[in-house]
Amino acid sequence: MKEVLNFAKKNFNSYVDELKDYLRIPSVSTDPKFKNDVNKCADFVVTKLKDAGMKNVKKIKTEGNPLVYGEWLEAKGKPTILIYGHYDVQPADPYELWDNDPFEPVIKDGKIYARGADDNKGQNLIHIKGVEAYLKVHGELPVNVKFLIEGEEEAGGESIEKFIKDKKNKKLLKCDAVLISDTSMYAPNIPTITYGLRGLAYLEVHVTGPNRDLHSGSFGGAINNPANELARMIAKLHDKRNRITIPGFYDDVLKLTKKEKENFASLKFSDKKMAREYGVRELWGEKGYSTLERLWTRPTLDVNGIYGGYTGEGAKTVLPSKAVAKISMRLVPNQDPKKIARMFKKYIKEIAPKSVKVDVIDLHGGRPALIPLNDPYLQAAARATSKVFGRKTVYTREGGSIPIVVDFMEQLKAPVILMGFGLETDDIHSPNEHFPLNNFERGIYSSIHFFDEVAKMK
Ligand code: BES
Ligand code: ZN
């Protein structure tokens, strides 16, 4: 294995060049304008898997964006690891807030800046290069490996969900564990395994008032203003303790165990430091819980965007006919996104006055995940990262969502290992997204160590 690590080290600069090529493809899945680039990016991943020495590499057509599959299954009697990642990225907007072209990667202070650098191109290329180094040095892997890289994670991931639920594909995807690098480390240099993710319910509230925009002087006071009403309704969704007021909302929330509470308390965390980093005077949230508890184990409700009426320069006296809010709720085990969406709709209708019309549209959802910590594959990953980073691996939950995780667990009956190498400060989904190159490098070494740790298991 030493030779493999040395080989990866020697070739690291060329891995960085390949990452740059990957990042130059604007594979934005949420905007149909980029359809061609999304396809080009799938082809790029096909080439990378082939170059790495994977067999049976193919682009799989779906109703949405293609999946990319590849395998190497010649380690007789050894476990099979399925590696998942996504080659699609979030839109780069707002472009003017980037210091460089989001699709022309720039290296500054040991970090690579581009859309998708961390989420998720840098993180999935880690494993492609880990496998490649192994195959180039030894001509074989110590375990069996399959790759499944999707192209619409940032847009809801419907196609992959259908694909893994289809009985015809069960054999193709059969594995002993699923490995995903699409999460963060607890702090720089602290190897981390994530064992919990929040889920999501995403809805849109459309409030319609008069059948056209009106003069706010002639009509204000007689006809209800949908923008005012939307604001009033949104304000009603939290109480004084910053809890969500939707009846039944907390019914299925799994209580934090004493052991988890202790584990969270043992992780160093400073509210002040977080406030400073993100430029707020103090943190905010549900009373009675620590910040880590709120981020990782409590559900939230947030307005992601709101519009209506006049938003241009200067003043325009108008009573708008319509206002819209995009509202998402991060959910925790054992909340069900469909049930929560129904409760949300019912409550919004209840608090809507007769003077406006309210429609609620369901956009998408995803279930929360909780992964047992005693799984031997997860433990192998913890040993691998611990060896590379030279310190004990910590176990965290995170506030973000990867809805496909529970589908993998249920459909493939396999544990899912979240071995992430991003940092919370990498600005994913935001301008100037970046990925520290030393994490890219140590990620590749961790991938190599992981295959070895798994091979030693059986
Ligand atoms: N890599 C993220 C998930 C993530 C973010 C995990 C932060 C841990 C911490 C992933 O690509 C993502 O952004 N997921 C979406 C899912 C949604 C579109 C269903 C999210 O969390 O908003
Ligand atoms: Zn993302």
Side-chain angles (χ1 to χ4, degrees), residues 70 91 109 122 143 174 176-177 186 438:
D109 303 328
V143 293
K174 191 176 179 321
D176 296 286
Y186 183 63
N438 67 344

Side-chain angles (χ1 to χ4, degrees), residues 180-451:
I180 304 177
S181 294
D182 195 21
T183 48
S184 297
M185 304 200 309
Y186 183 63
N189 306 317
I190 297 193
T192 307
I193 301 286
T194 300
Y195 69 94
L197 291 167
R198 289 198 283 194
L200 191 72
Y202 204 126
L203 300 109
E204 234 172 54
V205 179
H206 292 243
V207 181
T208 314
N211 55 11
R212 52 192 178 270
D213 281 6
L214 299 172
H215 189 287
S216 65
S218 314
F219 296 92
I223 287 185
N224 196 0
N225 180 328
N228 290 7
E229 198 50 53
L230 179 59
R232 253 192 304 269
M233 283 167 44
I234 290 168
K236 276 192 190 143
L237 297 173
H238 285 99
D239 68 11
K240 278 199 191 111
R241 308 194 65 213
N242 300 331
R243 280 171 69 89
I244 294 147
T245 51
I246 299 167
F249 186 82
Y250 291 94
D251 283 0
D252 298 329
V253 171
L254 197 68
K255 267 227 173 90
L256 195 63
T257 63
K258 213 175 130 217
K259 214 167 144 200
E260 273 193 294
K261 232 179 149 59
E262 283 166 10
N263 173 36
F264 293 178
S266 77
L267 295 168
K268 237 174 76 189
F269 190 88
S270 157
D271 281 18
K272 274 212 182 98
K273 190 167 160 236
M274 185 175 192
R276 209 178 320 120
E277 167 74 31
Y278 298 103
V280 293
R281 274 188 301 183
E282 63 174 17
L283 299 187
W284 176 94
E286 188 184 355
K287 299 257 181 328
Y289 296 89
S290 73
T291 302
L292 286 185
E293 288 169 3
R294 297 198 307 275
L295 284 170
W296 295 352
T297 75
R298 299 296 295 170
T300 56
L301 182 151
D302 281 292
V303 175
N304 298 272
I306 184 163
Y307 60 92
Y310 182 68
T311 53
E313 287 281 318
K316 181 188 184 201
T317 48
V318 64
L319 197 161
S321 84
K322 210 176 157 169
V324 179
K326 290 175 180 284
I327 298 179
S328 70
M329 289 162 278
R330 292 284 168 177
L331 308 178
V332 299
N334 295 317
Q335 285 179 300
D336 170 19
K338 290 204 180 93
K339 190 170 161 191
I340 292 291
R342 276 199 301 274
M343 283 176 178
F344 178 89
K345 277 185 202 163
K346 185 162 174 268
Y347 186 56
I348 287 285
K349 297 270 181 189
E350 264 167 39
I351 61 174
K354 226 170 141 183
S355 50
V356 292
K357 179 170 153 278
V358 176
D359 299 291
V360 184
I361 300 167
D362 218 327
L363 290 186
H364 63 71
R367 285 179 296 163
L370 201 56
I371 299 157
L373 278 175
N374 56 8
D375 180 80
Y377 291 96
L378 187 145
Q379 292 301 322
R383 285 197 298 281
T385 46
S386 175
K387 280 184 179 161
V388 173
F389 288 82
R391 55 195 295 174
K392 231 169 113 189
T393 297
V394 301
Y395 298 96
T396 64
R397 285 168 68 165
E398 284 194 73
S401 311
I402 309 178
I404 202 68
V405 166
V406 255
D407 293 315
F408 277 134
M409 286 163 67
E410 287 174 3
Q411 299 298 320
L412 307 179
K413 308 261 180 300
V416 174
I417 304 152
L418 300 170
M419 180 169 89
F421 300 100
L423 292 179
E424 193 194 67
T425 47
D426 286 350
D427 292 322
I428 64 172
H429 294 206
S430 179
N432 300 315
E433 175 177 354
H434 56 277
F435 189 40
L437 286 176
N438 67 344
N439 284 14
F440 181 50
E441 184 174 2
R442 290 178 294 183
I444 296 171
Y445 304 153
S446 302
S447 179
I448 293 165
H449 272 281
F450 175 68
F451 300 137

Side-chain angles (χ1 to χ4, degrees), residues 86 88-90 118-120 153-154 182 401 428-429 433:
H86 61 94
D88 65 318
V89 299
Q90 283 272 326
D118 161 328
D119 184 10
N120 172 257
E153 194 270 352
E154 301 292 5
D182 195 21
S401 311
I428 64 172
H429 294 206
E433 175 177 354

